[in-house]
Amino acid sequence: MKKILILIAIIAAFIGCDNVNEMHEQYLQEGSPVYSGKIDSLDCFSGLYRLKASIYPSPDVNRKEFRVYWNNFADSLVYSYDEAFLNPENGRYEVIIDGFEEKMIEGFTTLTFRNYDMQGNKSRESESNVLIYGNDFKSRLFNQGISGFDGQFLHLLPRDNMVGLWVEYTKNDGTQSVVEFEGGIETLKMLGIDPDLPDFKSGTIISYKTLYHLNSTDIDSIYAGNASESLPIILPDPLIIENNTINKYGFAEMFTIPIEVYEGETFTSVSDQPWCSVVNNNDNGMVEVSITATAAPRTATITVSVVGKTGAEFTKEIEVIQNSTLKLDNTKPDWTTVSLSDEPQAYPGWGTANLWDGSLEEPGFHTNSSQTIPFFLSVNFGKPLLIDGLEIVPRQKFVKNPEVFEVWASNSETEVGVDKESPEWETKAIEAGWVKLKHVDFTGWTGTDTRTAYIGATEKYQIIRIRVLKNSHAGGNLNLLELSVIGEE
């Protein structure tokens, strides 16, 4: 029995050895797995629904292509190692991988790369986790804010990584226009020479989106997903005229009318009357006008227009009203100083009488010391006059003009009874018989040009007081050369 068992074991051993040899032979015939060379270096760069892959392949001369997989290997692309993809500057193959928008893939996404050789052998996997920008990301980007409009430039607040701006706006003809700007835009020129938004319609808004380049390695710049809107932007008047009604007197004279237009614009002007002619449209923003003498009231209209522009805002009319009143210089021998308690002291030799001596040479009138606002300059005409205007000639050096003042009148030198700085002065002056004829605003009158203040009194008065409320000299000193009344006796 024992001999039989030994024999069985020997036979089984021979049979087992044959099976093992047979399996080993099969393994030797099939060979071990062969892999293509793995990608040596891999970089991926973010973009908008796309990315750029930069690959440095293995030195495998047998390489043929590489394949990219994502979405759990459900999507893939194949790229050959073609010289069209080779960047000779760095020796890397660079490709744009897109197709993510159709399937709404955005955010951090894992991509798997494999090399394949000529025999179809694949390499081991290389992976990259890359951020793909999309609409959801764009919707969380904020546009620049607007800090204000200064009349010419719209100012926008800066933001990190901004590289451009998209603007949609309304033109004067009602159509919409879109402009895209490069760079970090912090101001938009709204009017003047070469405006950023040509022909922008005043009173309308702009819609805008900021363009960002979030990382230096990104392949795309990205606009914020939602547009922002400005408040209505009201442009300054394109044609500014200081006064649309100009009162002139019966004597012939030359005068100028200040005109302001947008930067880079020019204007023309024309009169509808031969006695009131436009002599020149100066480049410095002045219309120079000449009028002839008259013995009866008359009116002319000067039409000023911005060259090349249409519309009511680009054309304005100036009415020149000339009456028959003349300078009453023949009455000056009767003029005298006023002896009211709050009259300022004059500098020696520079008294008020110099204002009606008919001379435009020094000395004129000069206060003796700094005056506290308000202060007075008064004249007694010797008889009542109808005061239509006051012509004031400033000193030609050390100019100290009355910029803002009131003209009060009476027929007697009556004291007001309160201090000139009292808040009750005006009330008390009226109670004392004084009449306020005119408030005159010559703000900015710091030059040597002669000014005529239109008064337009309807009754005759013998005494006037010029109540100075603002003086061009901060210290309150006043100096003038001559004063004339325009009106009727």
Side-chain angles (χ1 to χ4, degrees), residues 64-120:
K64 178 184 178 184
E65 63 192 23
F66 64 90
R67 300 179 188 180
V68 187
Y69 304 87
W70 66 93
N71 198 18
N72 292 322
F73 289 86
D75 298 304
S76 64
L77 287 171
V78 179
Y79 297 92
S80 63
Y81 280 109
D82 191 292
E83 286 194 2
F85 300 129
L86 179 63
N87 183 343
E89 295 182 2
N90 57 23
R92 300 173 73 94
Y93 290 84
E94 297 177 344
V95 296
I96 300 298
I97 302 171
D98 52 20
F100 300 103
E101 186 171 9
E102 291 79 0
K103 296 191 176 182
M104 300 303 295
I105 296 175
E106 62 177 288
F108 282 99
T109 302
T110 299
L111 292 93
T112 302
F113 292 75
R114 281 178 176 162
N115 268 339
Y116 282 81
D117 62 19
M118 296 294 186
Q119 287 74 40

Side-chain angles (χ1 to χ4, degrees), residues 35-46:
Y35 291 95
S36 174
K38 184 181 179 181
I39 292 173
D40 188 64
S41 175
L42 170 65
D43 293 304
C44 288
F45 306 103
S46 299

Side-chain angles (χ1 to χ4, degrees), residues 168-177 199-201 204-205:
E168 182 178 18
Y169 70 99
T170 304
K171 301 176 73 172
N172 278 318
D173 62 5
T175 61
Q176 296 298 113
S177 182
D199 208 24
F200 174 83
K201 184 176 182 178
T204 62
I205 66 169

Side-chain angles (χ1 to χ4, degrees), residues 290-308:
S290 173
I291 58 174
T292 60
T294 185
R298 56 187 178 181
T299 301
T301 299
I302 297 175
T303 302
V304 183
S305 301
V306 179
V307 175

